[in-house]
Amino acid sequence: MKKWTKAIEINAPIEHVWKYLDGSVENMQKIMPQVIEQKPVKITEEVVGSIYRQKFKEGKRTEEYDIETLEYTNEADEKKVKVGFILAKMFEITALYELNKINDTKTSLTYTVTTRPLKWYLKFLLIFATDKTVVEFLERFKKVAEAESGRYT
């Protein structure tokens, strides 16, 4: 299993940053442009256990998989969502987004992603995996959230 954790400060209120993770598909697509669609399969009252079918475009291929909400917190100063899914029947992926309010105009985002190979021969691929995708994702998230909130760094 490979795990990456990165944090970034975003010059935007926590509620504004949260809308990209806990709102419409259109908002999600601003930070994850590869997501083509996301439809509910099973919705639970407590959010944990909810399942969404997501279509994701990778190059010319379109993947479809079910994403399950594993953790969920929505407090005024702290918000968290953790999702898990199986990618191409080859990797079990979890993504954890943790938001903490620094002040009324600044939010800390910590992103943790884990990748576990489901086949023994895939373990070797993870040896060479870097955090490049994680860093690029956080930079895109920051850029979009700050631009749309009207605050620039």
Side-chain angles (χ1 to χ4, degrees):
M1 182 172 79
K2 194 95 170 196
K3 180 177 182 177
W4 295 273
T5 300
K6 296 284 179 192
I8 197 166
E9 282 189 9
I10 299 175
N11 293 308
I14 192 168
E15 289 298 334
H16 176 77
V17 177
W18 183 238
K19 78 176 187 177
Y20 298 102
L21 300 170
D22 195 43
S24 69
V25 176
E26 292 77 25
N27 280 334
M28 180 189 298
Q29 288 170 327
K30 291 175 183 176
I31 61 166
M32 299 178 209
Q34 306 92 329
V35 173
I36 299 168
E37 102 183 2
Q38 179 166 297
K39 294 185 176 176
V41 174
K42 174 182 145 193
I43 302 296
T44 64
E45 200 172 305
E46 59 280 353
V47 183
V48 173
S50 293
I51 297 172
Y52 295 87
R53 177 137 319 124
Q54 190 175 85
K55 285 187 181 174
F56 188 90
K57 190 167 179 75
E58 190 64 51
K60 293 181 180 179
R61 284 191 6 226
T62 300
E63 294 284 337
E64 186 174 290
Y65 42 84
D66 289 348
I67 295 180
E68 181 176 1
T69 305
L70 305 171
E71 291 180 35
Y72 185 85
T73 304
N74 187 358
E75 303 296 329
D77 294 347
E78 174 193 7
K79 299 176 185 302
K80 179 192 308 185
V81 64
K82 181 178 184 179
V83 296
F85 59 96
I86 306 290
L87 182 62
K89 298 179 186 165
M90 297 179 9
F91 296 100
E92 181 183 307
I93 312 263
T94 64
L96 172 63
Y97 308 88
E98 297 173 280
L99 301 180
N100 287 290
K101 180 178 179 177
I102 296 171
N103 60 40
D104 287 345
T105 61
K106 195 173 278 198
T107 303
S108 168
L109 166 62
T110 303
Y111 177 56
T112 303
V113 64
T114 61
T115 304
R116 186 173 69 86
L118 298 177
K119 299 181 177 14
W120 66 269
Y121 56 87
L122 296 171
K123 289 180 183 177
F124 299 111
L125 289 175
L126 287 181
I127 292 170
F128 303 105
T130 68
D131 66 355
K132 181 183 174 200
T133 305
V134 173
V135 171
E136 288 173 352
F137 170 70
L138 284 179
E139 288 171 355
R140 180 173 52 251
F141 199 136
K142 177 181 173 74
K143 183 179 174 183
V144 168
E146 288 179 354
E148 291 200 345
S149 77
R151 293 178 177 80
Y152 300 93
T153 54

